[in-house]
Structures are given as C-alpha cells and as structure tokens.
Amino acid sequence: MNRVRGRSGADNIEMSPSNSRNDDINGYYRESSSPGSRHTLSECHDVCAETCESLNTSIATLASSDRSDEVQVDVRTLEPISSLTGFWKKRTLFLKFRSRIEKQQQSKDSVFFRDGVRRIDFVLSYTDESDAKSGRKRELYEANLEKVGLELETEDKSESEDGKTYFVKIHAPWDVLATYADVLKIKVPFKASDIPKKLSIKCLAAPFRLPDHVMHPEPDYFTATFNKNNSDFFIIDDRETFFIPSTRNRIVYYILSRCPYVEDERVEKDKKGIKRLLTNGTYTAAFPLHDCRYWMRSKDTNCESERYNLYHYWAKLSCFFKQQPLNLIRKYYGERIGLYFAWLGFYTEMLFFAAVVGTLCFMYGLSSYKQNEWSKEICSEKIGGNIIMCPLCDKRCSYWKLNITCDASWQSHLFDNVGTLFFAVFMGIWVTLFLELWKRRQARLAYEWDLVDIEEEQQRLQMRPEYENRCTSRKLNPITQESELVLERSTTDLVGKLFLCWVAVLFWICLTISCIVGVIAYRLAVYAAFSSFMKENAHLNKMTSSITPQLATAVTASCINFIIIMLLNVMYERVAVWITDLEIPKTHVEYENKLTMKMFLFQFVNYYSSCFYVAFFKGKFVGYPGGYLYMFGQRTKLRNEECDPGGCLIELTTQLVVVMTGKQVWGNIQESLAPWLKNWWRGRKSRRQPESLYTRWEQDYNLLVVGHLELFYEYLEMVVQFGFITLFVASFPLAPLLALFNNIIEVRVDAWKLTTQYRRPVASKTHSIGAWEEILSGIAILSVVTNAFIVAYTSEMIPRLVYMYAYQPGRTMKGYINNSLSVFKISDMPLAHRPDEDEIPPWFNDSITTCRYHDYRYPPGHENQYTHTLQYWHIFAAKLIFIIIMEHVVFLVKFSLAWMIPDVPSDVRDRIKRERYLVQEYLHEYEVKRLTSQLSGNQDDSTSVNRVQPSLSAHEVVSENL
C-alpha cells in the first residue's frame, strides 16, 4: 500500500522514482538528520538552491504544455529561496512546491494511482474531526481491506480543496478480481463465436446510428463462468482490461459491503460493511470514479473518456433521433441501468406507432366535425335554444337552455366518435405486441450481456448486508448443499410486522380515497358557486358558451386533485420505504419487489381514482327531478353530479390531460432543475480553485449520490404513464402522442442527469425488469376492460347506434337530442329542489311548464311516469353485449399473439444451446489435457494455481481471507 501522509515539515513524503534530483535531496535529508552526518548545512543549502532552480524550469515547462490546467505560480516567488540561510525553512518551501508539481504532473482527470499504472476502482472519503473512535474504525477497516488483497493510497487533507477531506483510493489487483469473479460467477469469453451473423440493411439505419467507437460493438464470443483455477481456459489478452470498469467496481463494492471494521468479527458480527460506516459518519462518501470530465476528453491517454462519449452522443437532446449506445451504457454503468434504458428506448419506439394511429383517429374526428348532427341540434336556436333543461343543483342553480353547451358538444365529438372505438381495440392489441416484443428484446440482451441463468446466483449472492447482520444461525441448503445464513424470527414478530406493513398500506390507500371523495364534494359544492358567479357577472356572458360551470368545475377540481396527488406521493414514499425495511427482505431483488408492490398499489389509487370516478361513477347515480340522489344523504345537500347532454367523456379527457401532462412536466422539471441547483450550490467553493488542483475524485465528490431507489422511481414514473395511455386511452387518442414527446425528452434528461449531475453508481446485474413486467401485464389486461366500459358507459356511442338502427327509420341521427332527453313537469318538483327566485333567468316565464333532463324515462301523465322506458333497457342490453364482444375479441387476439410470438428468438435459443454444449466439451478437453500434463510431470505453472478457498461459500470468502 502506498500511503501519502501530510505535507508538514516533520512528515516523510514518498518521492517520485523518476526524479533523481528528489532522490539526492532525500539522501541529504536523511544523512543530515543523523548523528555524524557527512553533509554540512551549506551543502544542503546548495542542493536546495539547485533543486529550486529545477522547480522553476519544471513549472515553466508544465505551464507551457497545458494551458487549460495552468497553475498560477509566479516565478519571482521562487527567487528568494536560493538566498535563504535557514535550511528547514528551505526544506518546507521545497516540499510545498514539489507537492504542487507532483499533483500537476498527474492529470486532474486521472483515474490511476500516483504511479500511473494501478487503476482507481473505488474512492472512500472522510474528514478528520479528532474522533478517536471513528479513526479506530477506519484503521481496522482499511487494514482488513488490505488483508483481503486490495491496495490503498491515501490523499492527505491538505491536498483537498476544503483542506478537511481525506480521500482513500482503492485498487483491486488481478488476484482479487479473479477470486471474486469466481465467487460472483461472472461470465467471460472463452471462444470466438462460430455462428454466422444475420445480414442487416445498415444503409436504412445509417441516419440513426452512432459511430462504432460510441456504440461499442464487441467481438462475438461464447462465454462461460469464470474459474480462477482454470484462468488459462479463457481468452485473456490483457489482465488490466480483462474486467470492464463496471465489473471491477461491482467486485470492490461487494468486498466493501461485507468487510468488518472490528478485530474479531465473531464477537461483533454486525460491525461490518461500508453502508454502516457511511451511516455512522465514519466515512462521508464511497463511490467509483467517472473516467473524465463530461465536456472534455481526458488528457491521460490511458483513460477511455467514455463519460465524454456518453454525454456528447447520448445525453444531448440533439441526439433524440439517434440510437442509444446500450453496450457502452452497460459497460460504464452496469447491466441494471443499461436494461432500464433499453426498456425505456423500446417503449418509446413502440409509442411512435400508437401515437400515429391515435393522431389519425383524432384527425378523423376533425374531418367528421361538420357531420355531427347531434351537435348541430344542440347549437341550433330552433332546437337547442328552445329546450329548457332542469336545474343541475338545488336552490342556486336555475333553468338553462341546452344550446349553452354547444362548444362542449363539438369538443366532445373530437374524441367521442367511431374512430375512438377502433383505437380502443387497436391499443388492446398494441399493448400485447409491446409486451411480447419486449420479452424478445430482453432475451436477446440477456444473452448478449451474459445475464442468462443468473437469477439463482442473484438470489444467493446479492444478499442484503442488513439481512446478514440480523441472522443468528445457519442451515444447509438442500439444493446447493451449502450452509446459508438464516434469520430466526418468532411468529409473533413476523405476523405483527407484516400486519403493521399492510395496515399502513391500506390506511394510506383509504386516505387517498377520502381525498378523492373530498375533491368530489368540492365539485358538488363549487358547481353552484360557479353558476351563480357567472350569472352575477354579466360581462362574462360572452364566455359562458366556451367556459361553462361544468368545465370550470372540472378544470379546477383536476388541478386540486393533482396537487393532492403530489403531496400524498411525497409522504407515502417515506412510509413505504420504512415499512419495507421492517420486513427485512433477504435479497436486493426481494426488497425492490416488495417496495414495488406497495408503491404501485398506492400510486394506482392515487393517480387513477379520480379518472375512474369521472369515467364510471359520475352521472350514473343521479336520479331524476323529484327523486335526486345525494352524497352522504339528503342532509348534506350535495346532489350527485350530472354529465352534460354530450356525455362525461370530455370531462374524463380534461382530467386525464391535467393529471398526466402535469405529472410529466413537473417530473421533467424536478429531474433536471433540482440536481443542477443542488450541484451548483455544493460546488460553489470548488469553482474558485485552480482547475489543475481539482482532482477527479474531488470533482466526483461534489456531485450528487445516486440513491439505491433512483432507478425504482424512474420505472414507477414510466409505468404510471403506461397506465394513463392504456387504461383511459379511449377517452383521449392523443395520449400516446403526449407520452411520446415526453419520453423523447425523458431519455435524454435521465441520461444527462446520470452523466453530468451524479456520481458514477455502483454497477449491478439483473436479468429482467423484475416485478414491473408483471405489473405491465396486469395493466394490459385491465386496460381492455376499462376501455370497453368507457366506450359503453362513458361515451354516447352505444345510445346513438341504438337510436340510429332501432328508433330512426332513416338511419340518421336527426332527432337524437330530443329522443335522449326526458320530460319533467315543473309543478311536480319539490320546493327543496326548485331554484331561488333571484336565480331564475329573465326569459323564464309561467308559460314554461316542463323541463328536460338526460335520461330515458316516461313523461308525466303516463301510467309509468318517471320510470325507465323500454329504450333504456335496449341500450343497457346493447352496452353489455358490446362489452362482452369487445373483451372476448381483444382477449382472443391478445392471447393468440402471445402464443404465436415466442419469448426467446430462435437464433438466441440456438446460441444458448450451442454455448452450453461448447462449455461442456471444451472444459472436458481442458481438464483431460491438464490431467495428462500433471501425470507427465510437465504441468504448466499457469494451470497449477490453487483455487482460493474452494470449500467456502460466497459470503465467507471476505471473512476467511481476513
């Protein structure tokens, strides 16, 4: 281990081996400080003066060779050194200037130790606060890391920008990497692939492709699980680059998370892991390094500058039409993040087709705008102007003419037409194609990225340190025949915590529903206020045709609902993490799956409940004049809402647009602006420092930390959006288009944020998108049902079709409005429902004896007055038949497509089989040759390396090596 201590005069500093002048000075120092030294003080003075002259020359040379990293050192400040007579003062000044030159000689973007050879795989930081207890923990922890085989180099606090922070650089040598690659079952190449590649038409994709050095095409190899004992079996060209950086930092973090910081781990077994040391403040940060600045390539030729390529070719919004460099993302950030961006990119590609069809359906609504007969009747002065409607609320709402809903009727037609029915069926098929084709894309990536058959290893090797620390016993796994840690929990403890967890989830769901009920009560109470306000303000009469009380109420209620949604989200996220921690999940995968289910259940109710209310409840349980239904009983005087004569579809569209668009806009602002502001505030002091003294680890130290749930929230955001564009898409065909625009920006914002504003995250592996795949499948099935009900019950399509084919001989829509409105005798209205005298409009007189309402009931005077007519039951039956037919047709197509499209492409399946066959054959031949070589006494040294701890389980390697 190379350890650089403080730069004070009393400390011994390791000199650069390449500087012979420094070696001479070190010799003078050692000899002059010893008794009987041969060298006099004047001789030391001469050497110091001569060295300072060389320092002048070095600084001038460095300044001329690298202007971007120039150190502002005035040569005149060095001139007095040669005239100094005090030896120790000269020595102190000499050390100070030499340390600055050493630091400048090493590029500030360097990711290597001072020797320029060993790569920095991880960095730990801490501040010296004279805490002996923390210092002892660090001393033991770093000593244990060295025992495992890691190499450490410490940067003194005097070298940091704030003068307080120490940085411990960690390098994993080949033996450590090989040992833990074996433990973690990492796959590496052993033979070039002999399967011919399929021909592809690259000229068509040329405008969308990135350069090869960015796309990072890799040679096609067959891979096998690494075995240190058989290392010469694999294709190892260069040990330093054999393991990619993401694999290296994953191995180091695996060690860091399980290394103890006590002398005897058996006594205090829970005292281990970097996470606990970060929590208790022993260390302030632990992170792998970015390889360069994102806006400039590294000047160190050994650095790959992959961060610069990612920023320049991936994170910029101008690259929105280009392919994502998934191989480079995977190499730099790891498979888990690479798979997220692969899924997001594929989802965005599939949205393009849905957006095109949705836009065409919307264009059909525009083109058939003038053929809308029922809207013409509503807007007509002879028809709509002479139809007097009954009050929509008690006392404060008056009689009104149907033609004031003219504009709302025209707007509703844009989304409530035959094209909407086609689009609802199309989306049921699209969502199936999306899920099935994604499974194929995921299977191909899993093979190319060596993620096949890792699920069991993930479960076994990615055990959470928090779980391990709570385990008190072991038991034999009947499958692996290995001793595994077991958490012993009493039945009372287990049931109690599970009960507490799910009670908390149900409580928050009920709280969300109660908030939605409150918004509904707001709608009922405010509708009357809006009606009275517009009547009292005569200058607003010109706007009432476009801004009706119904529309004003819907928009304000949607905005309030959106604010409530965002507030509840912030509070529930913390609760969900807390109750998931109480369950103590065994693995990281299990932890995320448990949290996923809790969060999604809450988000489902939080985001979609208001849309479900408008779609399936509003206007369905209203009653009729003289027999209205009230929320919480008649005493509340909150009469259930009615829909416009044109239906509730336009209100559902308004709700969907406000919540979906508001969430997307707010999410993008929060994701881009918040990290930038935080980094700007954190880095305000470092910007004053010369760039040449601002090292790579200090630059990364000032960046934000990628939380272990950061990717979880990204998935959650997209899955909630997926629910909006599938569950309620029949009410708004432009929803996929809005989602497409958002996702084009989302991909680049996420890439920009990850590349520029955050520290490099620790790489991790996963073979799929996890529980999100099951959630997406559940949403896909539910979307068929919801869209069928929206078309049948929310829109007016089925009543219009029944009228045209069963009640209109000419099969036209003329007379539909008059047919769909029932008649009520005003004298039969109870006094409690009648409007106040000051609310009655001037045009209303005693000659008006009836009013109309939207329903199918017998008129007054009929023997069954105010009961449902036969037409109502015809429409009801037609709606049920439509739902059954649509669901069965779409489900039949869905399951047929799912059956016909295999989850794994045939060529990938063949390659997997061929690879497994070759692994067995080549390993057999290899073992036979090695055995023959051993028997003949000519065994090669490279094949005689003993396997490290062959009898140990994966979790015991770190501890036993200590």
Side-chain angles (χ1 to χ4, degrees):
M1 181 187 71
N2 294 329
R3 191 172 291 274
V4 181
R5 299 179 58 198
R7 300 235 189 281
S8 62
D11 291 336
N12 295 323
I13 312 272
E14 183 182 350
M15 300 300 179
S16 174
S18 62
N19 193 336
S20 59
R21 181 71 59 185
N22 293 344
D23 292 338
D24 293 339
I25 293 298
N26 281 334
Y28 272 91
Y29 292 158
R30 288 191 296 267
E31 294 176 10
S32 62
S33 61
S34 61
S37 174
R38 299 192 310 266
H39 301 284
T40 64
L41 188 61
S42 59
E43 291 175 329
C44 293
H45 173 275
D46 295 337
V47 174
C48 283
E50 183 180 356
T51 302
C52 290
E53 291 178 3
S54 70
L55 288 176
N56 279 325
T57 305
S58 300
I59 292 175
T61 303
L62 290 172
S64 62
S65 62
D66 187 2
R67 292 295 178 185
S68 64
D69 296 338
E70 184 177 359
V71 182
Q72 300 298 327
V73 180
D74 190 353
V75 177
R76 290 174 298 177
T77 60
L78 293 176
E79 293 178 354
I81 295 179
S82 59
S83 62
L84 293 175
T85 58
F87 166 71
W88 293 108
K89 189 172 183 180
K90 294 171 189 158
R91 175 178 181 268
T92 303
L93 289 174
F94 163 70
L95 290 174
K96 179 179 179 181
F97 281 106
R98 194 193 66 178
S99 68
R100 292 172 66 89
I101 287 179
E102 283 181 346
K103 195 164 187 179
Q104 186 171 356
Q105 285 176 336
Q106 183 182 23
S107 171
K108 62 176 171 290
D109 278 331
S110 177
V111 292
F112 295 91
F113 277 17
R114 288 189 179 273
D115 57 17
V117 177
R118 292 172 293 173
R119 177 182 290 272
I120 301 173
D121 295 309
F122 228 87
V123 173
L124 307 178
S125 66
Y126 64 91
T127 57
D128 186 11
E129 298 178 352
S130 301
D131 186 350
K133 188 175 181 181
S134 296
R136 180 58 178 168
K137 291 179 183 178
R138 284 193 295 267
E139 182 181 348
L140 292 173
Y141 186 68
E142 292 175 17
N144 289 336
L145 290 178
E146 289 180 308
K147 290 179 182 178
V148 175
L150 297 179
E151 297 177 3
L152 278 61
E153 183 179 79
T154 302
E155 289 287 334
D156 190 79
K157 66 179 180 179
S158 62
E159 294 300 314
S160 63
E161 53 160 340
D162 59 3
K164 301 177 182 177
T165 306
Y166 293 86
F167 291 95
V168 181
K169 298 173 288 185
I170 301 175
H171 168 75
W174 167 257
D175 285 341
V176 174
L177 293 174
T179 299
Y180 285 94
D182 194 344
V183 170
L184 296 174
K185 308 299 181 185
I186 293 173
K187 289 188 175 182
V188 295
F190 72 93
K191 180 185 181 301
S193 174
D194 55 5
I195 299 178
K197 293 183 178 180
K198 291 184 177 181
L199 296 177
S200 59
I201 306 175
K202 294 185 177 180
C203 59
L204 297 178
F208 308 102
R209 290 186 60 83
L210 293 169
D212 284 344
H213 73 278
V214 179
M215 291 299 293
H216 202 267
E218 297 178 351
D220 199 3
Y221 289 113
F222 289 123
T223 60
T225 302
F226 185 78
N227 187 331
K228 183 181 178 181
N229 197 35
N230 303 334
S231 59
D232 58 333
F233 172 75
F234 304 97
I235 303 175
I236 304 177
D237 296 327
D238 184 358
R239 287 187 172 187
E240 295 301 321
T241 59
F242 181 66
F243 295 108
I244 60 178
S246 60
T247 301
R248 294 175 69 100
N249 72 56
R250 185 164 71 95
I251 291 174
V252 173
Y253 185 75
Y254 180 84
I255 298 173
L256 293 176
S257 62
R258 287 162 174 80
C259 184
Y261 51 89
V262 290
E263 293 181 354
D264 189 355
E265 183 186 0
R266 292 171 295 180
V267 178
E268 299 176 282
K269 61 175 298 180
D270 62 329
K271 300 295 182 67
K272 63 180 180 178
I274 186 62
K275 185 176 289 188
R276 288 180 64 91
L277 292 174
L278 290 171
T279 302
N280 61 32
T282 304
Y283 287 99
T284 56
F287 53 92
L289 288 179
H290 285 295
D291 62 358
C292 67
R293 291 171 290 179
Y294 66 85
W295 67 88
M296 182 183 296
R297 293 186 183 277
S298 175
K299 295 180 180 176
D300 189 339
T301 56
N302 293 323
C303 293
E304 297 86 352
S305 296
E306 291 174 347
R307 186 190 187 193
Y308 169 81
N309 288 333
L310 287 171
Y311 172 74
H312 192 70
Y313 296 101
W314 177 49
K316 287 188 175 181
L317 190 59
S318 58
C319 301
F320 74 92
F321 61 95
K322 296 286 188 179
Q323 287 179 289
Q324 295 189 87
L326 294 179
N327 284 333
L328 183 57
I329 298 170
R330 173 244 180 169
K331 178 185 176 184
Y332 194 77
Y333 290 115
E335 289 78 3
R336 187 165 174 263
I337 291 178
L339 200 60
Y340 164 72
F341 281 102
W343 175 82
L344 182 57
F346 182 78
Y347 172 43
T348 305
E349 292 172 13
M350 292 295 293
L351 273 177
F352 174 78
F353 302 101
V356 169
V357 176
T359 303
L360 291 176
C361 291
F362 179 75
M363 296 299 293
Y364 170 80
L366 282 175
S367 62
S368 60
Y369 198 69
K370 296 182 179 179
Q371 302 173 7
N372 184 2
E373 291 293 336
W374 55 91
S375 293
K376 291 179 181 179
E377 292 182 356
I378 291 176
C379 297
S380 172
E381 286 293 335
K382 294 181 179 179
I383 302 176
N386 290 325
I387 295 179
I388 309 302
M389 302 296 294
C390 297
L392 294 177
C393 63
D394 297 339
K395 295 297 184 180
R396 300 191 64 182
C397 295
S398 183
Y399 305 98
W400 52 285
K401 293 183 179 181
L402 182 61
N403 62 351
I404 69 172
T405 63
C406 176
D407 288 348
S409 176
W410 285 112
Q411 295 165 6
S412 179
H413 173 73
L414 296 176
F415 309 108
D416 190 2
N417 53 66
V418 179
T420 302
L421 172 60
F422 168 78
F423 189 60
V425 175
F426 168 80
M427 287 301 292
I429 299 172
W430 173 88
V431 73
T432 303
L433 288 173
F434 164 67
L435 293 175
E436 294 303 317
L437 293 179
W438 164 247
K439 290 177 183 178
R440 292 172 62 84
R441 176 74 67 88
Q442 182 175 257
R444 187 176 298 278
L445 287 175
Y447 172 75
E448 293 176 355
W449 292 355
D450 299 320
L451 303 175
V452 180
D453 300 330
I454 71 163
E455 183 174 5
E456 182 178 345
E457 293 301 326
Q458 289 290 326
Q459 293 292 330
R460 188 167 67 91
L461 296 175
Q462 290 196 359
M463 187 180 295
R464 299 174 65 239
E466 294 84 354
Y467 177 86
E468 293 181 61
N469 295 338
R470 298 291 297 274
C471 293
T472 55
S473 61
R474 290 179 174 270
K475 75 173 183 178
L476 187 69
N477 187 315
I479 299 175
T480 62
Q481 291 297 308
E482 291 184 0
S483 177
E484 293 185 349
L485 293 169
V486 178
L487 177 62
E488 293 183 351
R489 304 179 67 176
S490 64
T491 305
T492 304
D493 176 64
L494 182 63
V495 174
K497 287 188 176 179
L498 288 176
F499 178 76
L500 174 63
C501 292
W502 286 104
V503 164
V505 174
L506 291 176
F507 168 78
W508 279 89
I509 290 177
C510 293
L511 179 62
T512 303
I513 294 175
S514 64
C515 290
I516 298 302
V517 172
V519 174
I520 295 172
Y522 163 85
R523 297 166 69 106
L524 300 177
V526 170
Y527 176 80
F530 271 117
S531 301
S532 178
F533 174 78
M534 291 184 175
K535 178 179 177 298
E536 293 173 357
N537 293 270
H539 62 281
L540 297 177
N541 288 339
K542 295 180 180 179
M543 301 173 57
T544 54
S545 60
S546 57
I547 303 179
T548 61
Q550 293 97 326
L551 181 60
T553 303
V555 171
T556 55
S558 299
C559 294
I560 292 174
N561 183 62
F562 173 71
I563 294 173
I564 293 174
I565 286 172
M566 302 310 294
L567 291 176
L568 289 177
N569 270 347
V570 173
M571 293 186 289
Y572 181 74
E573 284 176 6
R574 299 181 180 180
V575 174
V577 172
W578 174 67
I579 60 180
T580 305
D581 289 337
L582 286 179
E583 296 181 75
I584 319 176
K586 182 177 182 181
T587 65
H588 294 286
V589 175
E590 185 180 347
Y591 180 91
E592 190 162 319
N593 288 344
K594 287 178 178 293
L595 183 62
T596 297
M597 295 307 299
K598 293 179 181 65
M599 284 294 297
F600 182 75
L601 284 175
F602 173 79
Q603 298 279 22
F604 186 90
V605 176
N606 198 21
Y607 279 106
Y608 304 142
S609 54
S610 59
C611 293
F612 273 103
Y613 164 74
V614 176
F616 306 124
F617 295 97
K618 183 178 179 180
K620 307 300 185 296
F621 309 100
V622 177
Y624 62 95
Y628 286 122
L629 301 178
Y630 291 80
M631 178 180 285
F632 309 123
Q634 192 168 354
R635 292 182 179 179
T636 62
K637 298 183 180 180
L638 296 176
R639 207 169 89 192
N640 289 348
E641 286 185 283
E642 295 185 43
C643 294
D644 282 338
C648 279
L649 196 69
I650 189 64
E651 291 193 37
L652 177 59
T653 303
T654 303
Q655 181 76 23
L656 187 64
V657 170
V658 170
V659 177
M660 177 181 171
T661 307
K663 181 183 182 302
Q664 293 181 164
V665 171
W666 173 251
N668 282 327
I669 293 175
Q670 189 178 28
E671 287 183 11
S672 58
L673 190 60
W676 181 82
L677 289 175
K678 289 178 181 178
N679 277 334
W680 176 84
W681 180 256
R682 287 162 59 100
R684 66 191 186 281
K685 293 182 179 179
S686 61
R687 286 191 293 273
R688 304 171 187 169
Q689 301 294 332
E691 278 193 329
S692 58
L693 302 180
Y694 195 30
T695 56
R696 163 74 9 236
W697 45 89
E698 290 174 294
Q699 294 178 50
D700 287 4
Y701 178 71
N702 286 324
L703 296 178
L704 298 178
V705 181
V706 178
H708 70 286
L709 294 177
E710 190 75 27
L711 212 57
F712 165 81
Y713 292 120
E714 298 294 345
Y715 273 116
L716 182 62
E717 179 185 0
M718 289 296 102
V719 170
V720 169
Q721 182 204 81
F722 181 81
F724 279 123
I725 68 167
T726 54
L727 294 175
F728 309 103
V729 75
S731 67
F732 188 45
L734 293 180
L737 183 63
L738 294 180
L740 176 63
F741 289 147
N742 173 80
N743 287 9
I744 290 174
I745 299 174
E746 180 76 21
V747 172
R748 306 303 161 177
V749 168
D750 287 348
W752 172 84
K753 178 179 63 176
L754 195 63
T755 307
T756 66
Q757 304 301 311
Y758 283 94
R759 296 173 187 165
R760 188 173 183 172
V762 179
S764 60
K765 280 196 172 187
T766 182
H767 68 290
S768 67
I769 61 175
W772 299 112
E773 195 168 313
E774 297 177 4
I775 290 174
L776 292 172
S777 299
I779 292 176
I781 294 174
L782 182 60
S783 67
V784 178
V785 179
T786 56
N787 284 303
F789 272 86
I790 286 173
V791 173
Y793 282 97
T794 308
S795 77
E796 291 294 309
M797 187 176 301
I798 301 301
R800 291 168 190 161
L801 293 176
V802 170
Y803 171 78
M804 185 170 64
Y805 288 102
Y807 291 89
Q808 174 55 262
R811 293 194 174 182
T812 64
M813 292 305 297
K814 289 184 177 180
Y816 170 73
I817 291 298
N818 187 62
N819 176 267
S820 63
L821 298 175
S822 298
V823 179
F824 184 79
K825 191 175 181 181
I826 294 177
S827 60
D828 293 340
M829 185 179 296
L831 293 175
H833 300 336
R834 294 184 182 182
D836 295 332
E837 290 294 333
D838 57 345
E839 298 289 342
I840 297 177
W843 49 261
F844 189 84
N845 53 57
D846 295 338
S847 63
I848 300 175
T849 59
T850 60
C851 62
R852 310 293 292 271
Y853 60 99
H854 186 64
D855 207 344
Y856 295 91
R857 294 178 183 269
Y858 288 111
H862 192 275
E863 60 180 353
N864 296 320
Q865 67 175 0
Y866 304 140
T867 61
H868 287 122
T869 63
L870 186 62
Q871 184 178 355
Y872 169 85
W873 297 109
H874 286 167
I875 294 173
F876 182 78
K879 290 179 178 180
L880 291 180
I881 293 172
F882 169 81
I883 291 172
I884 293 172
I885 293 176
M886 179 179 171
E887 286 183 356
H888 281 72
V889 169
V890 176
F891 278 134
L892 179 63
V893 175
K894 279 173 62 69
F895 293 128
S896 298
L897 288 173
W899 176 75
M900 290 188 294
I901 301 175
D903 293 347
V904 182
S906 58
D907 62 315
V908 173
R909 186 169 54 249
D910 293 341
R911 292 171 72 91
I912 294 174
K913 291 179 180 178
R914 172 109 179 117
E915 185 175 279
R916 289 172 177 170
Y917 168 77
L918 289 176
V919 169
Q920 295 177 355
E921 289 293 314
Y922 275 65
L923 274 176
H924 175 71
E925 293 178 6
Y926 173 82
E927 293 295 342
V928 170
K929 289 181 180 179
R930 196 172 70 162
L931 181 60
T932 304
S933 177
Q934 288 176 347
L935 294 176
S936 63
N938 296 323
Q939 181 183 9
D940 186 79
D941 292 338
S942 62
T943 61
S944 63
V945 180
N946 292 326
R947 189 184 185 91
V948 176
Q949 306 292 354
S951 62
L952 298 178
S953 67
H955 297 292
E956 291 176 320
V957 174
V958 175
S959 301
E960 293 296 329
N961 282 343
L962 297 178

